[in-house]
């Protein structure tokens, strides 16, 4: 329902009635009228003049009323909205949260010179473009940063994510949501994952007095599981770059490669063995898939992988070749079910309810002296 139009009586009331309530009512009426496309030029000019007067009103309630009514108004004068956005938090927050009138340049300036509450309001807008996200990453309060990384409508590019990783290197609450965002480059995601897992280890040692070696194992397992979860959204080039980074940092482990294989991410397996053996991609593919058991056995040995895990890799690859459809597709859930059953058959002393816990326990098997491997490690 259309609101009543502003009248001369309203203007006279505004000028003569000293009460805050009267001015707040007029403010709301004028703000609603600005969106009326049927206003005559003089009516619109008058409305803008009154808004310019009210935006400087000494009463907070009047400016609040104005801000609330202009929040979603795409026709609101930008100069008025910007004045409200620069006001005290109580007035500014509504327009900062949703006003479509504010430009990215406006928002960046408000992030740099605004309060934490204003930064948080901007970070939670339905859409936050990369330029604004970068400003929040660079200068935002932690509460604004947390709002940003949890906002699915925010574009967090590599520059913003890198700044966040540098500023909050010891803050898993910031890093963890970043890892789950699909737009980040694979190499940055892996850096964040490593950062989070290191914090897990430190927390276990310091807060729960867990043995350093046990904590390190738990850290590695957490890192590998999270890293493996990111493979499915990577391009082939990203996958190769990630493998190279993992290898250079000593994180391209046998169990991580096995996790990838158990998830059907054979691209990662191929890239990993190519990296570890310095064998060209085309030849590594043939050795893994075409030459039979002896080809992969040679690749596995050249990569320096633990002998105790060779049967696991061999079973996973055999299952992969058998489970693929004629069109190359793979039912992942069925594949993982058959892989788990196959590993239980090979490592009959290892009890595990799922593939991840099976791989965790196989890592301990691989680290044991040969004489102890047949003992029950469940």
């Amino acid at each position: 329902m259309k609101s009543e139009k502003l009248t001369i009586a309203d203007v006279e009331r505004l000028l003569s009635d000293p009460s805050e309530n009267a001015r707040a009512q007029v403010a709301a009426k004028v703000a609603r009228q600005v969106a009326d496309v049927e206003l005559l030029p003089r009516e619109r000019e008058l409305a803008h003049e009154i808004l310019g007067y009210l935006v400087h009103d000494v009463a907070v309630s009047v400016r609040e009323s104005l801000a609330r009514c202009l929040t979603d108004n795409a026709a609101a004068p930008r100069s008025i909205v910007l004045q409200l956005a620069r006001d005290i938090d109580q007035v500014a927050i509504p327009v900062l949260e949703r006003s479509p009138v504010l430009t990215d340049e406006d928002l960046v300036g408000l992030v740099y010179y605004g309060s934490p509450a204003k930064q948080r309001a901007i970070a939670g807008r339905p859409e936050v473009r990369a330029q604004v996200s970068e400003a929040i990453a660079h200068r935002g309060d932690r509460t604004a940063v947390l709002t940003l990384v949890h906002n699915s409508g925010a574009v967090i590019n590599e520059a913003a994510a890198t700044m966040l990783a540098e500023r909050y290197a010891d803050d898993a609450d910031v890093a963890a949501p970043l890892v789950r965002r699909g737009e980040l480059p694979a190499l940055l995601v892996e850096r964040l994952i490593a950062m989070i897992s290191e914090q897990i280890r430190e927390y276990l040692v310091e807060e729960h007095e867990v043995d350093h070696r046990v904590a390190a194992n738990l850290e590695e397992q957490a890192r590998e599981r999270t890293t493996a979860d990111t493979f499915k959204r990577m391009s082939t080039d990203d996958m190769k770059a990630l493998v190279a980074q993992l290898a250079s940092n000593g994180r391209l482990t046998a169990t991580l490669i096995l996790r990838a294989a158990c998830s059907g991410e054979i691209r990662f397996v191929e890239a990993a063995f190519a990296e570890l053996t310095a064998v060209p991609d085309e030849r590594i593919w043939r050795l893994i898939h075409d030459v039979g058991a002896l080809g992969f056995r040679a690749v596995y040995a050249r990569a320096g992988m633990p002998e105790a895990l060779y049967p696991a890799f061999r079973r996973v690859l055999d299952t992969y070749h058998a489970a693929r459809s004629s069109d190359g597709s793979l039912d992942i859930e069925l594949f993982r079910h058959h892989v788990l059953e196959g590993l239980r058959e090979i490592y009959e002393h290892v009890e595990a309810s799922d593939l991840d816990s099976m791989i965790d326990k196989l890592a301990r098997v691989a680290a044991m002296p040969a004489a102890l491997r047949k003992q029950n490690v469940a």
Side-chain angles (χ1 to χ4, degrees):
M1 178 177 174
K2 189 184 295 184
S3 60
E4 295 180 25
K5 287 194 174 183
L6 187 70
T7 66
I8 293 299
D10 291 320
V11 178
E12 291 176 348
R13 183 185 179 197
L14 178 65
L15 295 174
S16 62
D17 192 332
S19 72
E20 286 186 25
N21 184 58
R23 299 200 306 278
Q25 289 178 6
V26 174
K29 192 170 186 178
V30 178
R32 287 193 296 267
Q33 183 170 319
V34 168
D36 191 342
V37 296
E38 298 177 1
L39 282 179
L40 296 173
R42 179 51 192 155
E43 291 174 327
R44 188 173 300 281
E45 184 181 348
L46 177 61
H48 284 201
E49 288 176 4
I50 295 174
L51 289 176
Y53 173 74
L54 292 170
V55 78
H56 296 289
D57 198 291
V58 295
V60 172
S61 63
V62 175
R63 305 197 307 276
E64 273 190 286
S65 177
L66 201 59
R68 285 196 302 271
C69 293
L70 291 178
T71 291
D72 298 305
N73 190 340
R78 176 171 167 269
S79 60
I80 301 297
V81 174
L82 193 54
Q83 185 70 37
L84 292 168
R86 291 169 175 161
D87 209 322
I88 62 173
D89 293 350
Q90 187 176 341
V91 174
I93 297 304
V95 293
L96 290 175
E97 288 178 335
R98 296 194 306 279
S99 175
V101 174
L102 295 171
T103 67
D104 286 348
E105 289 73 18
D106 294 335
L107 295 170
V108 167
L110 290 161
V111 166
Y112 271 79
Y113 301 105
S115 66
K118 288 184 178 181
Q119 294 173 342
R120 187 165 60 250
I122 294 169
R125 287 169 67 89
E127 292 184 7
V128 182
R129 287 186 278 271
Q131 181 181 354
V132 181
S133 291
E134 287 181 24
I136 295 169
H138 184 56
R139 290 289 292 271
D141 175 77
R142 182 176 181 273
T143 60
V145 166
L146 288 172
T147 300
L148 181 74
V149 297
H150 284 97
N151 183 357
S152 60
V155 177
I156 301 179
N157 60 13
E158 183 172 2
T162 300
M163 279 188 275
L164 290 173
E166 291 172 353
R167 285 187 66 196
Y168 296 93
D170 298 320
D171 195 333
D173 289 338
V174 173
L178 273 177
V179 168
R180 294 192 288 269
R181 300 187 70 94
E183 70 265 36
L184 295 185
L187 299 185
L188 180 58
V189 169
E190 199 278 328
R191 278 178 51 200
L192 292 168
I193 291 170
M195 182 178 79
I196 296 169
S197 59
E198 287 170 6
Q199 291 173 50
I200 292 173
R201 180 187 61 198
E202 291 170 5
Y203 175 78
L204 290 173
V205 171
E206 294 175 8
E207 300 297 328
H208 295 280
E209 299 182 350
V210 175
D211 179 83
H212 282 270
R213 186 169 53 185
V214 173
N217 288 336
L218 293 173
E219 174 210 342
E220 183 172 347
Q221 291 166 13
R223 181 179 66 240
E224 289 183 356
R225 290 187 186 198
T226 310
T227 301
D229 287 342
T230 68
F231 293 159
K232 63 178 78 68
R233 66 175 189 249
M234 291 183 191
S235 67
T236 299
D237 288 343
D238 281 347
M239 189 81 77
K240 291 179 180 178
L242 174 62
V243 164
Q245 178 171 291
L246 288 165
S248 67
N249 293 327
R251 295 197 288 263
L252 188 59
T253 63
T255 48
L256 176 58
I257 302 171
L258 184 59
R259 285 183 204 279
C262 289
S263 297
E265 292 295 338
I266 303 302
R267 291 181 306 155
F268 185 87
V269 177
E270 294 162 355
F273 278 105
E275 177 71 28
L276 293 171
T277 61
V279 173
D281 294 347
E282 182 180 347
R283 188 169 174 224
I284 206 76
W285 192 96
R286 290 201 308 271
L287 289 169
I288 291 175
H289 299 290
D290 276 357
V291 182
L294 292 179
F296 179 66
R297 164 57 90 175
V299 167
Y300 192 87
R302 181 167 176 172
M305 303 286 273
E307 184 61 27
L309 295 185
Y310 175 77
F313 276 94
R314 184 69 267 168
R315 178 58 65 93
V316 173
L317 286 174
D318 289 343
T319 304
Y320 175 78
H321 293 143
R324 292 180 75 198
S325 301
S326 56
D327 62 358
S329 62
L330 184 70
D331 184 329
I332 294 297
E333 292 306 314
L334 185 61
F335 168 70
R336 286 175 62 86
H337 169 75
H338 287 312
V339 165
L340 180 58
E341 292 303 309
L343 294 180
R344 283 171 173 164
E345 180 182 326
I346 296 170
Y347 301 95
E348 57 185 18
H349 297 298
V350 178
E351 295 182 7
S353 59
D354 57 57
L355 267 175
D356 279 321
S357 58
M358 170 63 78
I359 297 169
D360 292 342
K361 292 183 177 182
L362 289 182
R364 297 204 296 273
V365 171
M368 287 180 180
L372 299 178
R373 285 177 189 158
K374 293 186 179 181
Q375 293 184 13
N376 190 335
V377 295

